[in-house]
Amino acid sequence: MKIIHAAMMLLLLALMTAISTTSADEQTYIVRMDKTKITNTYSSLVSSKKPWHQAVLDSLIDVSSMEATPPELLYSYTALSGFAAKLSSKQFESLKNMDGFISAVPNKMLSLHTTRSPLFLGLTGMKGEKGPWSGSNLHSDVIIGVVDSGIWPEHVSFQDHGLSPVPERWKGVCENGTRFSPSNCNKKLIGARYFYGGYIAAGGKINDTEEHKSARDVSGHGTHTASTAGGDIVENANIFGLANGTATGMRYTARIAAYKVCWPGCTSVDILAAMVKAIEDGVDVLTLSLGSESEAVPYWQDYLVIASYLAFKSGIFVAFSAGNSGPDAYTVVNTAPWIMTVAASTMDRSFVAIIELGNGETFEGSSFYTGKALKGLPIVYGKTAGDLGAEYCLSGSLDPKLVKGKIVICEQGIVRRTEKGEAVKSAGGAGILILSPKGEDLANEVHVLPDILLGAIASKAVIKYWNTTKAPTASIVFKGTMYGNQAPKVAAFSSRGPNLVGPDVIKPDITAPGVDILAAWPAETSPSRLKSDKRRVLFNIISGTSMSCPHVSGIAALIKSKHKDWSPAAIKSALMTTAYKLDNKGKPIADLAFYNSGSPFAIGSGHVDPIKATDPGLIYNITAEDYISYLCSLHYTDSQVSMFEEGYQCTPTELRMQPGDLNYPSFAVNFKQKARNVTFTYKRTVTNVGIPKSTYKVSVEVPKGVSVIVSPKVLSFTELNEELSYEVSFTGLSRNKKVAGSSFGSLVWVSGNYRVRSPIAVSWK
């Protein structure tokens, strides 16, 4: 990913090369079968107590008896009536011709995509009986499953002081492995599993000197996300004195179950196995800060989407990161409507460094460096100070004679920014200045030398100064932690909509803190994750939608504590309809990429508000049956819908439905380019969870280019849990040049202090 694992792309390229060279005739597949047909066909084998999937694979040995390599079973997915196996092309063709075969999807490589955030979110100081951090809420057992790179179990964030015994309903275990045993778990960390079969089958290697074949985390990513969602309270948390304060997870008394799937590569086969096992173990919330770097695929082809649907059916709230491929449009991933898709934004805290150029111009950037200022040093542009790749400050590309004692300008790309800093330091550079090609995103990393990251405006000024000055110089002063910034602002790296797979559902759903997040870190991993860096920290600061996702997961756990009977859809609705779109200065949430306000394609419904989400007034509930009808409305075939519900056949009524009729808490309306006087009418049903006798009146911010009619305009409830419906009609008007490809607005139901808001996105295709 661009922010946390920029080097991941190089690693994945190497892995894909390994995949193509390990065995040209073998591939790993996730296979779905009709279990009824299989057990009938192989009744003799199954009756001998052999698992049905093993009977299927054994039959392939017969048809490929001349082959040296028999089919290899990696995982059995009981809940899916499927399995993962490594097959030759001949074995695969035989499998496809087998009675009961449904589908086979190739293994896919994916990547990994807090002292201030509780205060910024309004959680601190809310420990009264009515707040989400009230004693009655926090004493309720909620289990958060973290599918990631593992966990560092000894970290103080995972201590279990004051926690009650592990819930009897819990079916998970803590698996033995390298430097990990059941004794590493406690009443806080109640489960730890690891999955690597798909990674190895894809040609990946696990270096025992650098990685642990267990749930123990080496990357740091999983430890960081787990503590953000449910880590315990830790006083005086900081990194090098920066961001000092009390670190705590969003639901700090939650139980945590860690499922390690990233080694450093993550495969869909392993992630699916972990999700299925988490469902069986009994988690309440699943948080996954990972996803594809490529375009999203149809829902029926994405097994993580299918597993998320099964989790939803089991009452589990599922949150995924939106991805770090912004700010381009159509880059958001993990977009199924039953998934909470989380974007990333800033908080009101920054880590300021000031650069003064030799001509007197000054610019503000970011840095985690805490040493002395750099004064009046010469500047050199990397691309003029070395060989091929020197503009990116790649390892070995810089000429020490040209950079020694200087501040080196480096462009972003190819490798992680910390690796650029390592290259500059190795060549004798005194500091590094990193340019931003677009936007004012200042999400930095912990470097091994003095550094400053600049936004695009300052970057252009620096290059202009360097190009027009014979002997350019600069000074950099490091200001440390600063508070009171205008916030939130959506990060430039955060992936954007529209939703490529389901354009009738706005994605992402919501935004949350994801820039410069301080959270737990493994004791043996450097803050820069460089081998040459011998520093060790208890907490580290990193950025990405990987960091925003566990914030929302932890808040969902808080809501589940207060409303134990709410469905995952109800919790999601509460989070979305109470999200805010104005920052702490009363201005629309800004977009750091485009110098304007963030649209629903960047921030979804807005920024998460955990206080209001616990008491939303109304909710938009959705059942599993509703989601299946939605898939039918997308004109998926019966066999494609059967990937979610085995043997399902869409009814004529479902096939005539509009995708926009899904009872979603937002509205995405799509017109053809020249549409005029075309009307779409969508129905919604809301459930009263606020005050028994209450009346809501509608208020509409009408998007440009359409007219909007709501009927009825008033909803009067007489009791709790009462359901009332309304319809919204969107009519396309005559287009004009002032209306861009999309326009935005909102629909709000207002009653007293309740404001139940749904964003509207109107697009012309």
Side-chain angles (χ1 to χ4, degrees), residues 89-206:
S89 59
K90 186 175 180 181
Q91 292 162 353
F92 178 59
E93 290 301 318
S94 298
L95 178 68
K96 289 198 298 183
N97 293 325
M98 194 174 290
D99 187 30
F101 174 83
I102 296 176
S103 69
V105 176
N107 191 14
K108 185 178 181 181
M109 192 71 72
L110 296 92
S111 62
L112 294 166
H113 277 181
T114 142
T115 51
R116 188 65 179 176
S117 52
L119 178 61
F120 183 71
L121 292 168
L123 285 171
T124 56
M126 294 295 296
K127 295 185 179 182
E129 283 304 311
K130 294 184 179 180
W133 272 6
S134 67
S136 59
N137 287 338
L138 294 177
H139 289 161
S140 173
D141 279 316
V142 177
I143 303 168
I144 302 175
V146 184
V147 180
D148 210 293
S149 66
I151 196 165
W152 195 264
E154 296 87 358
H155 198 282
V156 64
S157 292
F158 308 123
Q159 62 187 356
D160 64 354
H161 299 323
L163 290 180
S164 59
V166 176
E168 292 184 3
R169 63 185 175 88
W170 177 242
K171 300 176 183 177
V173 299
C174 289
E175 296 177 341
N176 276 302
T178 307
R179 294 187 61 191
F180 205 107
S181 71
S183 64
N184 288 117
C185 288
N186 55 22
K187 291 179 289 186
K188 178 70 168 179
L189 177 60
I190 64 173
R193 298 182 186 269
Y194 57 106
F195 306 82
Y196 59 87
Y199 178 66
I200 297 298
K205 305 291 184 183
I206 298 178

Side-chain angles (χ1 to χ4, degrees), residues 27 78 88 143 178 188 225 260 331 394 597 600 669 692:
Q27 172 66 284
T78 305
S88 69
I143 303 168
T178 307
K188 178 70 168 179
T225 57
K260 182 175 178 178
T331 52
L394 303 183
S597 58
V669 187

Side-chain angles (χ1 to χ4, degrees), residues 114 224 347 349 513-519 540-542 547 551:
T114 142
H224 198 280
M347 295 187 292
R349 178 184 67 190
V515 176
D516 295 342
I517 304 301
L518 183 87
N540 197 15
I541 295 176
I542 53 179
M547 283 59 259
H551 276 91

